[in-house]
Amino acid sequence: MKKFTSFKNYINYSVIGLITVVCVILSLSGVLKASTAILLEEIAIKIMLAVSLSLVVGFLGELSLGHAGFMCVGAYLGGKVAAILAAPLGNGILTLVAALAVGGICAGVCGFLIGLPALRLKGDYLAITTLAFGEIVRTIFLNTSEESFGGPIGLATPRFNKEWFYVICFVMVLITLFVIQNLIRSKHGRAIKAIRDNEIAARATGINVTRYKLIGFILSAVFAGLAGVLYSYTKFNVSSQIFDYNYSIEILVIVVLGGMGNINGSIVSAVFVTFLNRELANILTGNLAVLKDIIYAVILIAIVIYRNAPALKGFREKYNIKQLFSKKKAAQESSEEAVKEEN
Amino acid sequence: MEFLTTFVNGLSLGGIYAMIALGYTMVYGIAKMLNFAHGDIIMVGGYTILLFLFVNPIVAIIAAMVFCMILGIVVEKVAYKPLRGASPLAVLITAIGVSYLLQSLAQMIFGSAPKYIVIADLGILKIGSLSIGYNTIITLVCSILVMVALSLFVKFSKTGRAMVAVSEDKGAAQLMGINVNRIIMITFAIGSALAALASVFFLLKAPTMTPTFGSLPGIKAFTAAVIGGIGSIPGAMIGGILLGVIECFAQAVPAISPYTDAIEFSILIILLLVKPSGLLGKVRREKV
């Protein structure tokens, strides 16, 4: 049984690693199209965003509506560093690492700043504060001068024009998963979950609520910032219009669809939603294009009501998929044991 | 004179914000939830006016208010009522889902291009060097009337007093024979009607409507409600007017006008850090 759980802990690393290797082989043999490589980049960035938001929403239990703001900070500052360093250092790995470092750290600082109100505010108030933060960041970058961050035209960034950039993106996904999953499985992760379940009880048992809330917000912001840097590398131009409130909501939808507090779920839904977005964008054109948003919205409402409505509690317990499986397994095991005993 | 013009414009804009903020604050006080879709009710109101404008502007305004009332009640019954008693996070996410749904539906029906909705061309009042649009004056007068009427309604009518009772203690109110579900329904209806009225004044100010129109005024009105202390009706009025005046003055100064939104939201964050309960809000101690 122990072996099974340890395998389960590493299943997402191995699956993502395997996918990356398969894609590399495909691209080396020339089967992988350039458009697919771009889709893979998008998927990797979405996974990073979803997993990092999941840390705050799913595990810390605070609603953050400003995740695109952190990404915006990362994209602009990382992109700027890349643009400056691209000339003397060349547009290579060294520049990328520097850009990632700057973008991640700056986003982390913003995460710290937004974590401070989080210590005093809760629920709705915090949600609106993070939303306000996202809008402030966007407005500031929108009104910068052309020489500094491009202002309304957007920041010109050096597109990392290599077909294997998605490999770097997937490596970053693995790093994100490594850090966040290990954090959650550690003592600190249990403390974070305890704060989500009952803050007062957590405080009473001696958990340093201040510290863990800040850790949650900072880490989440750092990875959103890193995703932003990668995003700026996949584009020629970063425009602050993209990082609006709706983008934050889109990431939130991914996290909720995947199941709150379930990292593998977030990954699967990030892949699914990004892929579906691409496919639906090809099928639905004109005014029908929003049909996809309507479907997402309806699914979001339905899932939240189904998972949380007090009136549906009995129904949920009766038809729980997980429980059905475990019951079957238990029944099977007991019957097998009975057979063994008979023999 | 320019100062006075800006001030009057600010008061009028503040009146609109206050009207929307009243919807937020009443729903928050009674249902203990942040109705994220409230801003989008403004947008729905605007498009309803567009549909009925061919009849008569007055008919269109009444139709918009009635339609938004019904929409508010339906949204409450379908999306929020099943979650009563669930975690606040779940309710908030559902509200975001409703907001997303309304925006997408509007985009599908009316397209994402802005629609021009001219209710009436009112002209400009000139007194000496002072020039103020008649729409500004109408907005100001109407918003003051609405606020006075609402205050009187809450204070003296039976339903209004029941609303106060429910916001103070739901369980005790129920024991006193108040139908809590009915009160929540009425609250949503009044809030949504005010949002529809707000859309009328927005359209008088600038006659364009887009599917995402409601989100920014919605967030700003929520900011106003929080500044005034959420759950408090006079607080929402003061917060709204304060925010409107700040916005107009920030826009009047060229150096800081691009950062108007950032300034308003910074005020929100700073105020929440210094005084989380807002200017007139009650402090609630959390008990185990």
Side-chain angles (χ1 to χ4, degrees):
Chain A
M1 202 62 199
K2 205 184 172 192
K3 212 175 179 183
F4 179 70
T5 46
S6 69
F7 169 70
K8 213 168 142 192
N9 285 352
Y10 296 107
I11 187 161
N12 45 28
Y13 302 123
S14 26
V15 167
I16 289 174
L18 200 70
I19 290 173
T20 318
V21 171
V22 168
C23 290
V24 169
I25 293 169
L26 282 178
S27 66
L28 283 179
S29 59
V31 181
L32 196 76
K33 277 183 277 180
S35 63
T36 319
I38 292 172
L39 181 67
L40 285 172
E41 288 168 3
E42 269 176 41
I43 286 176
I45 290 169
K46 278 280 160 66
I47 292 176
M48 282 179 74
L49 289 169
V51 170
S52 55
L53 183 65
S54 174
L55 178 64
V56 168
V57 179
F59 292 99
L60 191 59
E62 298 285 10
L63 188 58
S64 166
L65 296 176
H67 214 56
F70 298 123
M71 189 189 173
C72 183
V73 171
Y76 266 92
L77 292 168
K80 189 70 190 170
V81 168
I84 294 169
L85 289 182
L89 284 179
N91 193 7
I93 294 291
L94 210 59
T95 315
L96 176 68
V97 171
L100 284 173
V102 172
I105 290 169
C106 292
V109 171
C110 290
F112 174 72
L113 292 178
I114 210 70
L116 287 179
L119 303 174
R120 298 199 58 175
L121 307 171
K122 253 199 241 143
D124 308 339
Y125 287 95
L126 183 63
I128 210 81
T129 311
T130 52
L131 199 162
F133 163 77
E135 290 295 312
I136 291 172
V137 167
R138 202 169 61 85
T139 319
I140 289 174
F141 280 116
L142 187 67
N143 292 304
T144 47
S145 65
E146 253 171 65
E147 303 84 54
S148 55
F149 287 104
I153 313 163
L155 176 72
T157 53
R159 164 93 169 99
F160 208 78
N161 219 354
K162 298 223 167 65
E163 273 165 15
W164 45 267
F165 185 65
Y166 68 87
V167 180
I168 294 176
C169 292
F170 274 105
V171 170
M172 288 306 295
V173 168
L174 287 176
I175 293 172
T176 312
L177 284 177
F178 178 76
V179 173
I180 291 184
Q181 286 199 352
N182 278 320
L183 175 83
I184 285 164
R185 283 195 204 110
S186 69
K187 177 181 126 189
H188 310 294
R190 287 195 295 278
I192 287 175
K193 281 189 266 185
I195 295 172
R196 170 192 67 189
D197 293 337
N198 190 334
E199 194 180 321
I200 296 170
R203 207 186 284 272
T205 49
I207 290 171
N208 188 343
V209 174
T210 310
R211 187 169 147 224
Y212 285 113
K213 274 194 175 173
L214 281 179
I215 287 180
F217 268 94
I218 293 172
L219 262 186
S220 160
V222 166
F223 285 108
L226 293 179
V229 177
L230 292 180
Y231 176 84
S232 79
Y233 260 87
T234 63
K235 301 272 187 249
F236 290 107
N237 186 305
V238 177
S239 163
S240 60
Q241 307 290 3
I242 299 159
F243 307 106
D244 62 353
Y245 156 70
N246 285 338
Y247 199 89
S248 302
I249 300 293
E250 208 181 308
I251 307 166
L252 184 70
V253 171
I254 290 176
V255 172
V256 177
L257 288 188
M260 297 226 266
N262 184 342
I263 288 200
N264 289 346
S266 298
I267 298 173
V268 171
S269 85
V271 174
F272 181 72
V273 167
T274 316
F275 181 72
L276 207 66
N277 267 348
R278 163 68 72 90
E279 291 305 306
L280 287 178
N282 290 339
I283 301 166
L284 303 169
T285 46
N287 278 1
L288 275 181
V290 290
L291 207 61
K292 151 194 119 195
D293 296 324
I294 295 175
I295 296 167
Y296 284 146
V298 171
I299 292 176
L300 182 72
I301 297 170
I303 283 189
V304 175
I305 291 180
Y306 173 72
R307 303 259 314 182
N308 293 288
L312 292 173
K313 205 176 169 206
F315 184 82
R316 273 200 301 275
E317 276 164 5
K318 208 169 165 188
Y319 299 99
N320 192 331
I321 301 173
K322 255 187 207 161
Q323 224 166 28
L324 278 180
F325 274 110
S326 57
K327 253 185 206 164
K328 236 181 216 170
K329 217 177 262 167
Q332 238 172 19
E333 271 169 17
S334 63
S335 67
E336 273 169 17
E337 270 169 29
V339 171
K340 266 180 202 166
E341 270 170 27
E342 269 175 29
N343 288 345
Chain B
M1 271 305 133
E2 209 176 304
F3 177 83
L4 200 60
T5 317
T6 313
F7 188 67
V8 174
N9 283 333
L11 283 181
S12 143
L13 182 65
I16 309 180
Y17 283 153
M19 235 183 280
I20 310 166
L22 282 171
Y24 273 112
T25 219
M26 279 163 53
V27 166
Y28 194 92
I30 286 165
K32 296 283 173 290
M33 64 161 290
L34 169 51
N35 184 9
F36 237 93
H38 193 67
D40 298 293
I41 304 276
I42 308 170
M43 175 270 298
V44 174
Y47 280 118
T48 319
I49 291 173
L50 174 70
L51 287 182
F52 286 92
L53 201 56
F54 70 94
V55 189
N56 184 333
I58 303 293
V59 173
I61 291 169
I62 292 169
M65 286 175 74
V66 171
F67 183 72
C68 285
M69 262 180 169
I70 296 167
L71 182 70
I73 293 170
V74 168
V75 164
E76 196 270 326
K77 289 268 182 262
V78 174
Y80 304 150
K81 201 180 167 198
L83 286 174
R84 214 165 284 158
S87 80
L89 193 64
V91 186
L92 196 53
I93 293 175
T94 319
I96 291 171
V98 172
S99 153
Y100 199 32
L101 181 66
L102 290 178
Q103 283 182 17
S104 316
L105 281 175
Q107 198 181 336
M108 191 168 81
I109 299 168
F110 297 98
S112 53
K115 290 256 187 265
Y116 290 89
I117 306 172
V118 183
I119 298 177
D121 199 6
L122 293 167
I124 292 169
L125 173 72
K126 278 196 176 140
I127 309 168
S129 61
L130 184 73
S131 62
I132 297 168
Y134 274 110
N135 65 327
T136 312
I137 296 166
I138 291 178
T139 306
L140 196 54
V141 172
C142 285
S143 54
I144 289 169
L145 283 179
V146 165
M147 284 183 233
V148 171
L150 195 71
S151 303
L152 293 176
F153 172 74
V154 168
K155 206 158 189 184
F156 295 111
S157 78
K158 206 173 170 185
T159 317
R161 278 180 7 228
M163 282 161 83
V164 177
V166 172
S167 79
E168 275 172 7
D169 190 329
K170 211 184 269 177
Q174 207 152 18
L175 288 176
M176 292 299 119
I178 294 170
N179 185 345
V180 173
N181 280 335
R182 192 176 142 264
I183 294 297
I184 291 179
M185 197 183 86
I186 292 172
T187 310
F188 269 88
I190 294 176
S192 305
L194 288 179
L197 204 59
S199 83
V200 174
F201 297 127
F202 273 125
L203 287 175
L204 284 176
K205 215 159 98 62
T208 50
M209 187 54 70
T210 57
T212 52
F213 175 83
S215 52
L216 197 60
I219 296 166
K220 282 188 183 166
F222 180 73
T223 304
V226 172
I227 288 175
I230 201 149
S232 145
I233 290 177
M237 297 172 186
I238 294 173
I241 287 169
L242 207 62
L243 199 72
V245 172
I246 290 171
E247 181 170 332
C248 280
F249 274 106
Q251 268 169 354
V253 181
I256 56 170
S257 62
Y259 298 102
T260 306
D261 292 352
I263 290 169
E264 285 168 72
F265 292 133
S266 308
I267 290 173
L268 170 76
I269 294 180
I270 293 165
L271 188 96
L272 281 177
L273 281 177
V274 179
K275 201 171 182 313
S277 53
L279 293 175
L280 297 181
K282 282 179 219 130
V283 183
R284 279 214 172 86
R285 293 238 115 205
E286 198 175 345
K287 291 175 201 150
V288 181

